[in-house]
Amino acid sequence: MPRFNIDHIRLLRLTGFFAYLCSGMPLITSWAAERLDQLNRPNFALLLWTLSYLLFGVLYLLLTSNLGTTRRNLGTRLVGLTLMTISTLAVGWYSHSGLSAILMVVASVVLPWLVPFWLSVVWLLTWNLALAAVFSTFPELNYSFIWGLFQASIYMGFAALGFVASLVARQQADAREDQRRLNSELRATRALLAESTRIAERMRIARDLHDLIGHHLTALSLNLEVASHLTNPQAAEHVLKAQATAKHLLSDVREVVSELRQDDAIDLTQAFRSLIEGVPGLHVHVETPPRFSVEDPRRAQVLLRCAQEIITNTAKHAGARNLWLHFDYVNANLLELAARDDGRGATNFRPGNGLSGMRERLAEFGGSVTVDLEVSQGFALTVRLPLGEVPELAHTPSRFEPPALGMR
């Protein structure tokens, strides 16, 4: 049976907008004008009703344009919700109908994605009381606030149903994102483990070749040297040939051991490729040196965790569409990570637990993290990690080749 990949957040947004359009059907029929005539409202009341309805739709589209992310700060969303509330009450005031309550139900469905839970609950209750006040002006309800509250409570039940259903969907979306992040971390850690295992196996083979075969070949060469002085000239010729062969073989073994020991650094390319896959709503651009490797597994793990924290914070708090991670070797013993996004910036920046954790991890190896508060757009920081490698063993010349194309 074929499966259809549906963006549930987008589907929720479009369904809410469809419900909004349905609530505007009276405006394209004669019912709205007849209703205002019954209420003895002036002619421009229909225009104000229409403008209030359109304002709600525009605000709905703007506030939900990036539903599920935090591209706009909480203050902006609160202002938008306030204007949506006012427009909803205006529709109810001019139409003297339950259309305003229907719009409240539409807004309640996206409310959990826009503001925190308890603020959403307070907002719904306040909205319900405001609707009750509007309904109490209806002659059909005898201008009674109690009857208005009773009428609003009926619609409040549907709003609560939509709110809870959307809240569950939001929690499931967050759980899926946590699972994706953990899976990315697991894949990246697995890549590091595979690299560490590969290096450990190469070192074991190198030691075995050096200690076992190298030792025996050395002993064989010495014995042949002695035998060449004890045999007759005819046999000595063959002993000398065997001795030369043993020396060539010993030289080959030493060359193989040197090559095995040379590539003893952990390649980080695959680990970071696993880390940036599938980050929702954020394009991560990574640029690395041609040979992106670290010899110390602990430092490789620290660098991986720092990059992961930067990606997570950017996706959650920066409101950015792009994140650039540029890795480079400042010198043979210092690795630098420059991170920059195109989000809201560091206007009200305050270090959190994530940044503090990065500093603690880096401080263990003499590293540092610096936040650039002067950047004109977005947020930028620089991570520096000393590699603690002996220059002649770090094989650094290949690290400074012309840069390779970055991965995305």
Side-chain angles (χ1 to χ4, degrees):
M1 181 178 180
R3 297 180 60 183
F4 298 96
N5 295 323
I6 301 175
D7 187 339
H8 296 86
I9 299 177
R10 181 178 299 178
L11 182 61
L12 176 68
R13 176 178 183 251
L14 294 177
T15 304
F17 189 69
F18 175 74
Y20 159 78
L21 294 177
C22 292
S23 68
M25 293 297 292
L27 290 172
I28 61 175
T29 65
S30 60
W31 183 88
E34 293 173 357
R35 178 66 176 173
L36 293 179
D37 289 339
Q38 293 175 0
L39 298 172
N40 296 320
R41 292 293 176 88
N43 294 331
F44 64 86
L46 181 60
L47 176 61
L48 295 177
W49 176 359
T50 303
L51 290 177
S52 299
Y53 170 80
L54 293 177
L55 176 62
F56 180 93
V58 171
L59 291 171
Y60 176 88
L61 291 177
L62 290 176
L63 288 178
T64 62
S65 59
N66 294 294
L67 204 61
T69 65
T70 53
R71 299 203 188 283
R72 298 181 179 84
N73 57 38
L74 182 60
T76 302
R77 284 174 274 154
L78 289 177
V79 171
L81 283 173
T82 301
L83 294 176
M84 286 178 67
T85 303
I86 295 173
S87 62
T88 299
L89 298 177
V91 169
W93 172 265
Y94 289 115
S95 66
H96 271 208
S97 68
L99 294 176
S100 56
I102 295 176
L103 294 179
M104 181 186 74
V105 173
V106 172
S108 67
V109 174
V110 297
L111 201 57
W113 303 82
L114 299 177
V115 292
F117 172 75
W118 289 111
L119 186 56
S120 301
V121 173
V122 171
W123 199 279
L124 276 178
L125 293 176
T126 304
W127 208 334
N128 189 56
L129 291 176
L131 279 177
V134 172
F135 289 161
S136 65
T137 64
F138 293 1
E140 296 90 339
L141 299 179
N142 299 321
Y143 303 101
S144 169
F145 180 78
I146 299 299
W147 280 107
L149 184 61
F150 175 77
Q151 183 74 16
S153 298
I154 296 176
Y155 293 104
M156 183 64 182
F158 292 98
L161 178 62
F163 173 78
V164 172
S166 184
L167 179 64
V168 172
R170 174 64 190 268
Q171 291 175 342
Q172 290 181 345
D174 291 342
R176 285 195 299 270
E177 170 56 18
D178 291 339
Q179 184 179 18
R180 183 210 62 80
R181 189 166 58 250
L182 289 174
N183 287 337
S184 297
E185 179 182 349
L186 179 60
R187 289 195 301 269
T189 303
R190 184 177 61 185
L192 286 183
L193 181 60
E195 278 293 299
S196 299
T197 303
R198 179 187 65 83
I199 292 172
E201 184 65 15
R202 290 172 66 94
M203 294 298 293
R204 185 190 66 80
I205 295 174
R207 284 194 298 268
D208 289 346
L209 286 175
H210 180 272
D211 296 340
L212 298 178
I213 299 179
H215 171 73
H216 291 307
L217 286 175
T218 301
L220 176 61
S221 181
L222 292 175
N223 288 325
L224 289 173
E225 177 70 24
V226 173
S228 65
H229 298 289
L230 299 178
T231 58
N232 56 59
Q234 185 178 2
E237 181 181 356
H238 295 285
V239 172
L240 290 175
K241 290 182 179 180
Q243 184 182 15
T245 302
K247 288 181 178 180
H248 284 303
L249 185 57
L250 179 61
S251 176
D252 291 340
V253 169
R254 287 173 176 170
E255 184 178 351
V256 171
V257 170
S258 298
E259 290 179 356
L260 287 173
R261 288 182 178 275
Q262 183 178 7
D263 188 14
D264 56 357
I266 299 174
D267 187 0
L268 297 176
T269 304
Q270 182 58 43
F272 279 99
R273 194 181 299 275
S274 300
L275 194 64
I276 67 175
E277 287 179 352
V279 181
L282 181 67
H283 298 287
V284 183
H285 311 268
V286 180
E287 185 177 355
T288 63
R291 184 175 181 271
F292 187 31
S293 58
V294 174
E295 293 191 3
D296 184 4
R298 296 175 304 162
R299 285 177 168 83
Q301 188 76 1
V302 167
L303 191 63
L304 189 70
R305 292 293 167 264
C306 288
Q308 182 183 27
E309 188 65 35
I310 292 171
I311 294 172
T312 301
N313 286 342
T314 303
K316 282 188 173 181
H317 309 299
R321 295 183 181 276
N322 295 279
L323 171 64
W324 293 271
L325 299 177
H326 178 71
F327 296 88
D328 196 12
Y329 293 98
V330 178
N331 53 52
N333 197 40
L334 183 61
L335 179 62
E336 180 180 272
L337 163 59
R340 180 178 62 86
D341 63 53
D342 58 356
R344 65 174 60 96
T347 306
N348 300 315
F349 169 72
R350 288 185 299 176
N353 294 329
L355 188 59
S356 299
M358 288 173 56
R359 283 179 171 149
E360 292 170 0
R361 290 189 183 99
L362 290 166
E364 183 179 353
F365 300 98
S368 64
V369 55
T370 306
V371 178
D372 186 1
L373 299 177
E374 304 298 328
V375 65
S376 59
Q377 180 184 2
F379 184 81
L381 59 81
T382 302
V383 172
R384 288 197 165 195
L385 177 64
L387 299 178
E389 301 172 356
V390 181
E392 58 268 19
L393 297 180
H395 316 296
T396 54
S398 61
R399 288 176 172 170
F400 299 99
E401 296 172 0
L405 295 177
M407 60 182 175
R408 176 176 174 179

